[in-house]
């Protein structure tokens, strides 16, 4: 059994999703032979309670020039990140010479507003193609993995940062000791490190087990994040629950003693204690709920197939790799997936080999049922696809339980 990636403590394994492919490795139809697989299983540290994957995928296999995920594919997320930028511009970035660094800036969804405001910024993003998209929007990007050495170089060449920000990226990084040393090297005295990621509290509450995949190495709680921050000389000074991506928490971290933790920190810690979120029985019960969703979904799709219904899916999310491969879904149960991302279209979903087509294919000939893989964008997608429902189409959801709406 491996040791905790944060504190070296003992890990207890809870849920095993079996052999899984890389969630964002959409394959060309003639290249299904050489897919990479790993064992996806979730464990919790008996000492610091950090929930984490048991097996680590080498980072260059996931984040390379052609990494396909584009943050700007959702209008709700574009609005969300515009608000984030304006919050920083109005608060932490009001000194004489403000500077913000974003880790995992992707296609520039957040930094564009900072750049438009004429404020000094730098995105650190290893994936080349999305970094180019950000540059075309006027965003400065360094094509690199953020780690201690990158942070030291940035501090030397560009100066220290008031804010280091990351969305849906810190949970992707197993080597957080190096990240915290980097943050310490790059952050100005009094500066703040802010990151937002899927919240384990929401994942348990909604049984959103598809948040577990190769890239999501950690599933954070306030308790585990605070323990980690303190271990590395920092403190958790604020938390904010966010509705995006099915429920996230935004954590604010500063050097120990520099800021007073808000009441929200104590409140969320107390709520987690009350829910017994970090206790073995809770994580075991989560595993049982996961297995029930799998069984219900497979039963529903099998029944629809037997009845001769047409079923497609919507949103070729990274999350759906876990659902499709864990439930054994393939093109015989789900004929294709509709997705707006050019780099995913006309490829096959990893492991499960369901073809991905642009939304025009969906709209030209609606299926009777659409399995909503991008359930986190349900409001946006259902509004955009009102025509599907008007034509008698039905959505299949599986979070928090399997149902047809
Ligand atoms: N912040 C965006 C993108 C999230 S996807 C959003 O919230 O929508 C995660 C991004 O992190 C990817 O673009 C990936 O290439 C990048 N990433 C992964 N490891 C990283 C690291 N060590 N340093 C910086 N970026 C990293
Ligand atoms: P998302 O749920 O944001 O992330 P992840 O891949 O990490 O699970 O992915 C949403 C996917 O759905 C993305 O490939 C774009 C696609 N999409 C559409 O096809 N249409 C839409 O209207 C929206 C909002 C997303
Ligand atoms: Zn630990």
């Amino acid at each position: 059994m491996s040791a905790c990636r944060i504190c070296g403590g003992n890990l207890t394994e809870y849920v095993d999703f079996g052999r899984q492919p890389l969630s964002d490795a959409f394959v060309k139809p003639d290249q299904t032979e050489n897919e990479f697989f790993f064992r996806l299983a979730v464990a919790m540290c008996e000492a610091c309670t950090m929930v984490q994957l048991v097996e680590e995928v080498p980072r260059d296999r996931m984040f390379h020039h052609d990494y396909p995920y584009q943050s700007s594919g959702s209008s709700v997320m574009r609005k969300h990140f515009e608000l984030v930028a304006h919050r920083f511009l109005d608060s932490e970035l009001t000194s004489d010479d403000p500077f913000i660094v974003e880790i995992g800036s992707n296609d520039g969804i957040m930094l564009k507003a900072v750049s438009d405001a004429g404020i000094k910024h730098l995105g650190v993003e290893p994936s080349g193609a999305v970094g180019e998209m950000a540059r075309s929007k006027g965003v400065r990007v360094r094509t690199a993995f953020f780690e201690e050495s990158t942070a030291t170089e940035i501090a030397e060449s560009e100066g220290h940062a008031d804010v280091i920000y990351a969305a849906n990226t810190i949970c992707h990084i197993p080597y957080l000791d190096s990240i915290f040393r980097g943050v310490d090297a790059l952050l100005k005295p009094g500066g703040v490190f802010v990151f937002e990621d899927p919240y384990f509290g929401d994942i348990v509450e909604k049984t959103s087990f598809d948040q577990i995949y190769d890239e999501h190495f950690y599933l954070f709680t306030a308790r585990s994040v605070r323990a980690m921050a303190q271990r590395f000389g920092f403190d958790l000074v604020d938390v904010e629950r966010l509705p995006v991506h099915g429920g996230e928490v935004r954590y604010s971290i500063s050097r120990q003693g520099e800021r007073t933790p808000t009441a929200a920190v104590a409140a969320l810690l107390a709520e987690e204690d009350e829910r017994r979120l970090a206790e073995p029985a809770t994580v075991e019960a989560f595993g049982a709920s996961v297995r029930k969703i799998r069984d219900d979904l497979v039963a529903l799709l099998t029944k629809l197939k037997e009845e001769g219904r047409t079923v497609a899916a919507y949103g070729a999310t990274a999350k759906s790799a876990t659902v499709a491969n864990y439930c054994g879904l393939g093109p015989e149960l789900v004929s294709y997936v509709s997705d707006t991302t050019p780099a995913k279209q006309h490829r096959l979903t990893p492991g499960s080999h369901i073809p991905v087509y642009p939304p025009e294919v969906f709209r030209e000939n609606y299926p009777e049922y659409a399995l909503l893989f991008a359930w986190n964008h349900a409001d946006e997608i259902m509004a955009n696809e009102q025509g599907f429902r008007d034509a008698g189409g039905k959505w299949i959801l599986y979070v928090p339980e399997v149902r047809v709406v």
Side-chain angles (χ1 to χ4, degrees), residues 59 63-64 67 69-71 77 81 102-106 109 124-127 130 144-147 166-169 172-173 175 179 215 245:
R59 63 187 189 179
F63 311 114
H64 46 69
Y67 177 69
Y69 182 72
Q70 290 174 225
S71 302
M77 294 313 299
F81 286 116
E102 185 180 11
I103 306 174
S105 46
N106 198 272
I109 189 168
V124 183
E125 172 53 66
S127 300
V130 289
F145 285 96
F146 188 91
E147 57 192 331
N168 306 299
T169 299
H172 292 53
I173 306 181
Y175 43 98
I179 298 299
E215 296 170 20
H245 289 309

Side-chain angles (χ1 to χ4, degrees), residues 81-113:
F81 286 116
E82 218 170 281
L83 286 173
V84 171
H86 284 284
R87 276 252 301 255
F88 285 136
L89 290 169
D90 294 342
S91 58
E92 304 285 344
L93 297 175
T94 52
S95 67
D96 286 348
D97 186 22
F99 179 33
I100 177 169
V101 172
E102 185 180 11
I103 306 174
S105 46
N106 198 272
D107 62 6
I109 189 168
M110 195 285 284
L111 284 179
K112 181 183 184 302

